[in-house]
Amino acid sequence: DALSAFDPPADVVAALRAAGCVFAEEEARLRLGEAATPDELADMVGRRAGGLPLEQVVGWAEFCGLRIAVDPGVFVPRARTELMVPEAVGGAGGATPIVVDLCCGSGAVGLAVIATLGAGELHAVDIDPAAVRCAHRNVVEAGVGSVHEGDLYEPLPEELRGRVDVLLANTPYVPSGAIALLPREARDYEPRLALDGGADGLDIQRRVAARAREWLAPGGHLLGETSEDQAAQARADYARAGLSTRVAHADDLEATVVVGSAPAT
């Protein structure tokens, strides 16, 4: 941390700015705080200048006030996804709600929900082995819950069927044809399977919705992040699966969450 006591060196700031980093000074200070030696700092700056997402360079991201470990090649949690947390917490029932985080990536959303609730049983799921390893560090090693590797509901313990209070589904929702328009750091350094949602971006969300009632407890809730333009179609998909629906939106986060609720009885 001795390095962070000084203003960022001009060459570090210049290298980051030349790489297109909008907040070059702030990023430089963050790296100074993380790097133990000048050589480590130089390596971090080089990786960031090469396009690696900041969070993958420093090894963590802030999400809902939590420090979440983020490994290279793992989807970086976005600030807009924070809207899912209060929406999930508001619908959680019981003293120890069961929370399932599908397509969990680093596990950030499920962790934030459990941290906000102060109690609960968390099961995080991802099909990507790199994400599972990262989520294991955040969830299992912290003693917060369990992580399962597999396709959506496939690896969940059978005893959870019909008992899930909160089903989080931050699935990929970028239409396949729009992947090329994403920022370079997402397009080149985050896994495509964490971004590509098919022709209209909702293919995986539909698969989640189609089986949600099998796993939700009576009155349980499914929450899925979408774009604002996709919300109407997502609501229709949820309704087709037997869920009542509503949409939450936050202008400040540019965030949209579709909420589907199972019948209470």
Side-chain angles (χ1 to χ4, degrees):
D1 276 24
L3 288 173
S4 63
F6 303 95
D7 287 335
D11 59 336
V12 171
V13 174
L16 294 172
R17 188 172 289 118
C21 300
V22 177
F23 303 105
E25 290 83 357
E26 289 83 351
E27 287 200 22
R29 288 192 180 89
L30 180 57
R31 285 177 180 73
L32 287 168
E34 295 294 325
T37 66
D39 285 346
E40 186 176 341
L41 173 62
D43 176 67
M44 294 171 74
V45 171
R47 285 185 288 148
R48 178 61 173 140
L52 200 66
L54 172 63
E55 295 83 358
Q56 293 181 6
V57 173
V58 299
W60 60 274
E62 183 178 339
F63 186 83
C64 289
L66 301 176
R67 184 163 169 150
I68 306 294
V70 180
D71 296 333
V74 174
F75 182 79
V76 175
R78 271 56 164 178
R80 62 175 173 268
T81 306
E82 293 184 355
L83 177 61
M84 294 184 75
V85 176
E87 293 297 326
V89 169
T96 310
I98 295 175
V99 177
V100 169
D101 186 0
L102 298 180
C103 302
C104 69
S106 63
V109 185
L111 279 165
V113 169
I114 293 294
T116 305
L117 287 169
E121 178 183 339
L122 174 62
H123 293 266
V125 180
D126 207 288
I127 198 170
D128 183 358
V132 170
R133 288 192 296 271
C134 185
H136 191 279
R137 292 174 56 201
N138 287 315
V139 174
V140 178
E141 293 180 15
V144 178
S146 303
V147 178
H148 312 274
E149 182 177 340
D151 185 22
L152 300 180
Y153 302 102
E154 177 187 274
L156 286 174
E158 183 63 27
E159 59 265 26
L160 295 183
R161 191 182 295 269
R163 297 179 55 227
V164 176
D165 298 292
V166 175
L167 181 55
L168 304 164
N170 185 22
T171 64
Y173 61 89
V174 179
S176 300
I179 295 292
L181 305 177
L182 291 174
R184 177 189 173 196
E185 60 186 41
R187 187 179 67 244
D188 292 350
Y189 293 98
E190 292 182 303
R192 183 166 180 133
L193 58 80
L195 302 170
D196 192 339
D200 69 351
L202 295 174
D203 283 359
I204 299 173
Q205 192 69 248
R206 285 191 191 93
R207 291 180 56 210
V208 171
R211 296 188 60 196
R213 284 194 60 181
E214 295 177 36
W215 293 90
L216 287 173
H221 306 287
L222 164 64
L223 297 94
E225 182 175 287
T226 70
S227 70
E228 190 171 7
D229 291 342
Q230 293 168 318
Q233 181 59 57
R235 287 188 74 175
D237 295 333
Y238 282 28
R240 193 175 301 113
L243 304 173
S244 60
T245 69
R246 65 179 178 86
V247 174
H249 183 77
D251 289 334
D252 58 333
L253 294 172
E254 297 183 349
T256 301
V257 173
V258 179
V259 182
S261 301
T265 56

